[in-house]
């Protein structure tokens, strides 16, 4: 491949990427647009008369919601990893009887539409009187990620050499010790992938938030945006500014952990 | 709460299932303790699945078989109604259109996501300057929270001030009421869903393409195959297993899509973009007087469809593993 032969490909690639990412650019552009320019025809293609009014509104009104989302996301990560890492270890290394049934159940679990889970959770939380609790939201959000987590951990831990486990066992380590001191540290990449996705899914969740959390300051940011659209659909710069802020985790993830993202997307779709 | 007490009992039964008596006592003891340990590590997830998957699904099934109102949640005593809710739903005039919309939404989304994703995957297999960076950037739409994508597109598709109509006007095309006219609302949500789905198809198909040995292309080139022939004779047949899995997963994801449609159009105007997912939600949560029973019934029908395709997916995966 000479540079000469591929410059047109780079050009075409740039054009395609720009087309694909235009909505993202537009979100940023609108977030800096003044209210007075919002309904201009044609619209301003660049934020020439930039204003940070929208972002000021975010920090005044949405800050607690961002905090809620952050806490709910982190708690979901802890719960998901704590549940799925031991399960993955067992499925990969301990040959439990009934493994086939369990992996079948986990696959099916991923196919259940979120709205149906939401309705079930709503019925349960209503009878228990725990609607509007962050803990309830964490539990609901974790259902998106746990089956995926077990799948990733099982696939990854199956690749850990048997000798490593055997050597530790000969040295007298029990199964839990092997799991804790050998398997977990070696599985760092799987832990990162599962954590990233469980955080992102909890952060992005809208269905559970909208059904299980009503109002109050305990709203996650997704509801913050949603209520914003409902209440003042004039202030699009504030709505888009909130959207930009809500996109930060996804962007950071892509910049810092692109490899893990790609691994997560293809998990279960492509044979390793 | 009796689910919690059931877990130790479960473990006891797996412990009791020791292997055949033909084995020596020592060996069976080791196998038994091995099984015990294996299930000890699985216990948290098993309990979790029972409590937070099976139980909500059971509650949902129960909802669909009873006459529920908000009051019966608080005071109990919802009369058993059998299949009444399912009959109500099937005879509802919305049922037919929701079915058609669900099919159109799913199939059109899939066809475009897959085709565009495949074209991009092929385009990116030839490495060029910046190719890795651009490929990573393509993931952005897939990673953004759906509420972000849906609200951004809502504003872009706004009839009066949206950038899409503004571009249409400058090109001399008549502007369209994307989200507020029954003819266009379904098309609009399909367009957004395609945009969100392209990255997934691109990444999975790209990784599938990486597995095809370059020597095959060289051989094809030596035999005088042009690019088009190389794709249809080499790439496409070899990608068939990955394509099947990608399409099935896409199908299962797309059937579930709720957020985008609900945020952009709420299934309207006049049910013109209502799918099973949004209809189920609207019955259960969208009105002042919730119809939990019918809502749950629609949801359960959706589960049946999704799981049916899920079983096909599992079969294909098994076949792949065997080959």
């Amino acid at each position: 491949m000479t540079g000469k032969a591929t410059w047109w490909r780079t050009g075409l690639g740039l054009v395609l990427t720009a087309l694909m990412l235009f909505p993202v650019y537009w979100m940023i552009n609108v977030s800096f647009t003044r209210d007075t320019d919002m309904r201009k025809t044609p619209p301003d293609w660049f934020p020439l008369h930039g204003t940070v009014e929208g972002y000021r509104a975010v920090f005044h009104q949405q800050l607690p919601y961002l905090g809620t989302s952050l806490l709910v996301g982190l708690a979901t990560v802890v719960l998901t990893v704590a549940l799925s890492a031991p399960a993955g270890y067992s499925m990969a290394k301990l040959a439990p009887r009934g493994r086939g049934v369990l992996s079948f159940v986990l696959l099916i679990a991923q196919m259940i539409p979120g709205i149906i889970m939401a309705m079930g959770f709503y019925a349960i939380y209503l009878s228990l009187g725990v609607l509007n609790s962050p803990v309830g939201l964490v539990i609901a959000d974790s259902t998106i990620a746990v089956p995926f987590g077990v799948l990733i951990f099982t696939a990854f831990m199956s690749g850990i050499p048997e000798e490593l486990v055997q050597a530790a066992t000969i040295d007298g380590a029990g199964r839990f010790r092997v799991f804790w001191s050998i398997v977990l540290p070696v599985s760092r990449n799987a832990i990162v992938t599962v954590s990233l996705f469980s955080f992102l899914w909890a952060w992005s969740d809208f269905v559970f938030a909208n059904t299980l959390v009503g109002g109050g300051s305990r709203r996650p940011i997704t509801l913050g945006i949603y209520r914003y659209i409902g209440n003042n659909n004039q202030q699009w710069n504030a709505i888009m500014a909130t959207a930009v802020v809500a996109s930060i985790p996804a962007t950071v993830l892509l910049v810092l952990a692109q490899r893990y993202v790609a691994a997560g997307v293809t998990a279960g779709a492509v044979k390793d | 709460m009796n689910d919690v007490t059931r877990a130790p009992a479960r473990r006891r039964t797996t412990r009791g299932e020791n292997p055949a008596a033909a084995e020596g006592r020592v060996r069976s003891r080791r196998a038994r303790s091995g099984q015990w340990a294996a299930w000890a590590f699985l216990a948290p997830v098993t309990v979790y699945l029972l409590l937070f998957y099976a139980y909500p699904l059971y509650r949902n099934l129960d909802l669909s078989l009873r006459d529920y109102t908000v009051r019966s949640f608080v005071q109990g005593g919802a009369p058993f109604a059998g299949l009444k809710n399912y009959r109500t739903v099937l005879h509802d005039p919305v049922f037919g259109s929701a079915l058609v919309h669900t099919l159109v939404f799913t199939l059109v989304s899939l066809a475009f996501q897959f085709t565009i994703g495949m074209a991009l995957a092929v385009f990116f297999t030839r490495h060029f300057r910046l190719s890795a960076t651009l490929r990573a950037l393509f993931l952005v739409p897939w990673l953004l929270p759906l509420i972000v994508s849906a609200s951004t597109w809502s504003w872009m598709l706004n009839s009066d001030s949206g950038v899409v109509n503004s571009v249409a006007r400058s090109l001399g095309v008549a502007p369209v009421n994307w989200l507020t006219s029954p003819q266009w609302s379904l098309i609009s949500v399909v367009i957004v869903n395609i945009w969100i789905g392209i990255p997934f198809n691109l990444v999975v198909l790209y990784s599938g393409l990486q597995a095809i040995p370059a020597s095959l292309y060289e051989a094809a080139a030596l035999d005088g195959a042009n690019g088009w022939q190389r794709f249809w004779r080499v790439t496409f047949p070899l990608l068939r297993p990955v394509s099947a899995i990608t399409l099935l997963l896409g199908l299962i994801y797309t059937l579930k899509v709720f957020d985008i449609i609900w945020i952009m159009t709420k299934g309207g105007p006049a049910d013109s973009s209502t799918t099973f997912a949004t209809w189920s939600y609207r019955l259960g949560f969208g009105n002042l007087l919730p119809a939990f029973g019918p809502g749950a019934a629609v949801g359960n029908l959706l589960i049946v469809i999704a799981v049916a395709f899920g079983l096909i997916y599992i079969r294909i995966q098994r076949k792949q593993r065997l080959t």
Side-chain angles (χ1 to χ4, degrees), chain B residues 29-74:
Chain B
R29 192 177 305 152
R30 191 175 305 157
R32 207 188 309 165
S33 83
Q35 279 306 309
W36 197 90
W39 275 95
F41 279 99
L42 283 176
V45 145
T46 311
V47 174
Y48 173 89
L49 284 172
L50 286 171
L51 276 181
F52 301 126
Y53 263 100
Y55 187 58
L57 286 175
Y58 159 76
R59 281 300 289 263
N60 206 43
L61 191 64
D62 185 61
L63 275 180
S64 74
L65 297 173
R66 288 178 187 276
D67 264 331
Y68 261 102
T69 56
V70 171
R71 215 175 54 188
S72 48
F73 267 119
V74 182

Side-chain angles (χ1 to χ4, degrees), chain A residues 1 3 6 8-10 12-14 16-17 19-24 26-27 30 38-43 45 79 82-84 86-91 94-100 102 104-127 139 142-144 146-147 150 175-176 179 197 200-201 203-207 210-211 222 225-226 229 233 236 239-240 243-244 246-247 250-251 253-254 258 261-262 265-271, chain B residues 14 17-19 30-31 33-35 37-39 41-42 44-46 48-49 51-53 55-57 59-60 63 70 73 120 122-124 126-130 132 134-148 151-156 158 160-163 166-167 169 195 198-200 203-204 207-208 242 245-246 249 252 256 258-259 262-263 266 276-278 280-281 284-285 292 295-296 299-300 302-303 306-307 309-311 313-314 317-318 320-321 323:
Chain A
M1 283 277 166
T6 61
W8 68 270
R9 281 182 176 273
T10 305
L12 183 58
L14 280 168
L16 292 172
T17 313
L19 274 175
M20 187 73 182
L21 294 187
F22 177 78
V24 181
W26 202 246
M27 167 175 80
V30 172
M38 198 57 73
R39 302 206 172 253
K40 254 174 42 179
T41 5
W45 287 84
L79 183 62
L83 284 165
S84 52
Y89 169 59
S90 178
M91 304 267 272
L94 303 179
R97 230 166 275 130
R99 184 174 30 177
L102 191 63
F104 178 77
V105 168
L106 286 165
L107 269 172
I108 293 292
Q110 290 186 71
M111 288 151 195
I112 311 282
I115 32 157
I116 290 148
M117 296 297 290
M119 224 175 265
F121 274 118
Y122 181 80
I124 295 168
Y125 289 0
L126 192 64
S127 5
I139 287 172
S142 71
T143 59
I144 311 172
V146 165
V150 179
R175 283 193 188 81
F176 186 78
F179 169 68
F197 277 89
L200 199 61
W201 287 333
W203 175 275
S204 312
D205 158 69
F206 165 74
V207 180
N210 198 25
T211 46
T222 45
I225 300 176
Y226 186 60
I229 300 175
N233 50 16
W236 274 92
I239 297 173
M240 288 295 113
V244 170
S247 310
T251 319
L253 231 151
L254 196 63
Q258 194 212 318
V261 175
V265 179
T266 52
V270 182
K271 193 171 58 172
Chain B
T14 47
E17 290 168 358
N18 55 12
R30 191 175 305 157
S33 83
Q35 279 306 309
W39 275 95
F41 279 99
L42 283 176
V45 145
T46 311
Y48 173 89
L49 284 172
L51 276 181
F52 301 126
Y53 263 100
Y55 187 58
L57 286 175
R59 281 300 289 263
N60 206 43
L63 275 180
V70 171
F73 267 119
L120 287 166
V122 171
F123 173 74
F124 276 113
R126 301 286 291 274
H127 292 284
F128 51 86
R129 203 162 306 200
L130 288 181
L134 296 180
R135 213 179 60 235
L137 283 172
F138 259 88
L139 272 170
V140 170
W142 192 78
L143 289 172
L144 289 182
L146 289 170
I147 182 111
V148 167
S151 47
T152 303
W153 277 93
S154 290
W155 182 240
M156 283 169 58
N158 183 290
D160 308 319
S161 329
V163 65
S166 165
V167 171
R169 276 189 211 99
W195 179 76
I198 287 170
F200 173 78
V203 171
V204 176
S207 72
V242 176
I245 290 287
T246 312
L249 279 178
I252 293 159
K256 296 200 292 191
F258 158 79
D259 313 44
W262 188 258
I263 295 160
K266 289 214 163 45
F276 278 146
T278 61
S280 162
Y281 180 86
F285 297 103
F292 288 115
N300 289 333
L302 191 60
I303 289 190
V307 169
F309 287 114
L311 293 176
Y313 161 81
I314 290 168
Q317 265 224 325
R318 285 241 171 92
Q320 270 194 30
R321 264 201 211 111
T323 51

Side-chain angles (χ1 to χ4, degrees), chain B residues 108-314:
Chain B
V108 175
S109 291
L110 269 186
F112 280 92
Q113 282 173 8
F114 183 79
T115 312
I116 298 171
M118 175 75 93
L120 287 166
V122 171
F123 173 74
F124 276 113
T125 42
R126 301 286 291 274
H127 292 284
F128 51 86
R129 203 162 306 200
L130 288 181
S131 67
T133 313
L134 296 180
R135 213 179 60 235
L137 283 172
F138 259 88
L139 272 170
V140 170
W142 192 78
L143 289 172
L144 289 182
L146 289 170
I147 182 111
V148 167
S149 311
S151 47
T152 303
W153 277 93
S154 290
W155 182 240
M156 283 169 58
L157 295 172
N158 183 290
S159 298
D160 308 319
S161 329
V163 65
V164 175
N165 273 352
S166 165
V167 171
R169 276 189 211 99
S170 63
L171 294 175
V173 183
V176 168
N177 290 325
W178 294 100
L179 301 174
T180 49
S181 70
Q183 304 90 297
W184 290 95
S185 62
L186 187 63
I187 297 171
S188 302
V189 289
V190 166
I191 290 172
V192 177
N193 192 49
I194 291 169
W195 179 76
I196 289 168
I198 287 170
F200 173 78
N201 286 271
L202 162 63
V203 171
V204 176
L205 293 170
Y206 176 83
S207 72
L209 286 173
Q210 295 303 299
I212 299 178
S215 57
L216 285 175
Y217 291 108
E218 285 154 21
L222 282 178
D223 290 341
N226 60 29
W228 194 241
Q229 285 170 319
R230 279 201 293 262
F231 175 77
W232 286 110
R233 305 265 168 90
V234 180
T235 312
F236 198 74
L238 285 172
L239 262 191
R240 194 166 293 157
V242 176
S243 302
I245 290 287
T246 312
L247 281 168
L248 264 173
L249 279 178
L251 186 69
I252 293 159
Y253 292 150
T254 315
L255 279 173
K256 296 200 292 191
V257 169
F258 158 79
D259 313 44
I260 310 167
I261 304 176
W262 188 258
I263 295 160
M264 287 178 70
T265 68
K266 289 214 163 45
D271 280 326
S272 58
S273 56
T274 293
T275 61
F276 278 146
T278 61
W279 189 32
S280 162
Y281 180 86
R282 201 190 65 211
L283 286 169
F285 297 103
N287 308 322
L288 284 173
L289 282 176
F292 288 115
V298 173
N300 289 333
L301 291 176
L302 191 60
I303 289 190
V304 171
I305 302 170
V307 169
F309 287 114
L311 293 176
I312 300 173
Y313 161 81
I314 290 168

Side-chain angles (χ1 to χ4, degrees), chain A residues 6 36 38 61 73 82 89 93 98 143 170 194 198-199 221 228 232:
Chain A
T6 61
T36 43
M38 198 57 73
Q61 297 158 10
Y89 169 59
K93 291 288 174 212
T143 59
I170 288 165
V194 172
S198 48
F199 182 84
I221 191 70
Y228 235 162
N232 49 353

